[in-house]
């Protein structure tokens, strides 16, 4: 844990390569995320969901909706990497997505459920992959060329990063 409220578990850095053990650990991190997120928000009230996790940061509600938004993109990008030769993946503006009307209007439960079923599909796919599959290339216009394995490591970190945002807020506020 760090004192920086933006990066409570530290910043993510892409490794040049990922070992198969790293990837297996990441798959387990991705598999357990829906339960961690559900536990992180259990018992929160509507005003608590509308509290920013840090000054100038997203609300808990925005964080909960952001994670499946991000992971839907990651799931599609995974499938592109597995089915196309060196696909160029499309970035998106996370800040603008978080400000769209569905973020405020959609019950948090919808995103918790979406995260569960999305991760169920994603984990089935990842566990069916062979070690060589994780070496397949993909290209992100803002990051550059990556292999699928190192790309996936970010999402093991990403979910826990946002759960830590919520857990840290709860701890600071005594919720």
């Amino acid at each position: 844990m760090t004192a920086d409220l933006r990066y409570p578990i530290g910043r993510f850095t892409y490794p040049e390569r990922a070992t198969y053990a790293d990837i297996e650990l990441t798959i387990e991190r991705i598999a357990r995320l829906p339960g961690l997120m559900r536990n992180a928000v259990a018992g929160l009230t509507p005003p608590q969901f509308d509290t920013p996790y840090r000054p100038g940061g997203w609300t808990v509600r925005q964080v909960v909706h952001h994670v499946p938004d991000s992971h839907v993109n990651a799931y599609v990008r995974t499938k592109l990497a597995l089915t196309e030769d060196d696909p160029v993946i499309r970035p998106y503006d996370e800040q603008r997505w978080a400000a769209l009307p569905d973020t405020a209007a959609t019950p948090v439960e919808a995103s918790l459920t979406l995260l569960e079923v999305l991760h169920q599909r994603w984990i089935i796919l990842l566990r069916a992959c062979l070690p060589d599959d994780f070496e397949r290339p993909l290209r992100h216009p803002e990051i550059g060329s990556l292999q699928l394995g190192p790309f996936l490591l970010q999402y093991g970190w990403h979910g826990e990063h946002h759960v830590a945002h919520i857990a840290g807020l709860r701890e600071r506020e005594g919720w």
Side-chain angles (χ1 to χ4, degrees):
M1 299 294 262
T2 70
D4 186 341
L5 297 180
R6 292 172 303 162
Y7 299 99
I9 63 170
R11 287 181 177 262
F12 178 80
T13 55
Y14 281 103
E16 202 169 302
R17 295 192 57 83
T19 67
Y20 193 65
D22 294 334
I23 293 164
E24 287 179 316
L25 176 62
T26 294
I27 292 170
E28 293 311 310
R29 290 173 84 182
I30 292 169
R32 72 176 172 255
L33 176 65
L36 293 174
M37 182 63 75
R38 189 172 284 284
N39 288 340
V41 301
L44 291 180
T45 65
Q48 290 169 330
F49 275 110
D50 293 324
T51 303
Y53 74 89
R54 67 174 174 85
W58 284 343
T59 66
V60 173
R61 181 180 314 281
Q62 287 174 307
V63 170
V64 172
H65 290 312
H66 161 72
V67 173
D69 283 350
S70 174
H71 291 201
V72 162
N73 278 283
Y75 173 68
V76 169
R77 292 167 175 176
T78 300
K79 292 187 95 160
L80 290 171
L82 292 170
T83 60
E84 297 181 11
D85 294 328
D86 201 19
V88 175
I89 57 176
R90 190 175 186 285
Y92 68 100
D93 187 331
E94 295 176 345
Q95 296 297 329
R96 291 181 73 186
W97 279 43
L100 287 171
D102 67 313
T103 300
T106 302
V108 169
E109 181 60 34
S111 281
L112 294 172
T113 300
L114 174 58
L115 192 64
E116 289 170 355
V117 296
L118 171 64
H119 277 228
Q120 182 179 16
R121 288 277 311 271
W122 198 10
I123 293 304
I124 289 168
L125 175 63
L126 293 175
R127 287 183 176 152
C129 288
L130 300 173
D132 287 351
D133 292 330
F134 296 106
E135 294 179 13
R136 293 193 53 87
L138 64 158
R139 192 174 311 275
H140 191 293
E142 297 167 354
I143 298 167
S145 186
L146 298 164
Q147 289 182 329
L148 181 58
F151 170 78
L152 289 170
L153 268 56
Q154 176 186 12
Y155 291 94
W157 169 87
H158 181 255
E160 292 176 6
H161 160 77
H162 285 302
V163 166
H165 284 149
I166 297 166
L169 174 63
R170 290 187 81 150
E171 184 177 323
R172 290 188 308 278
E173 294 295 324
W175 296 342

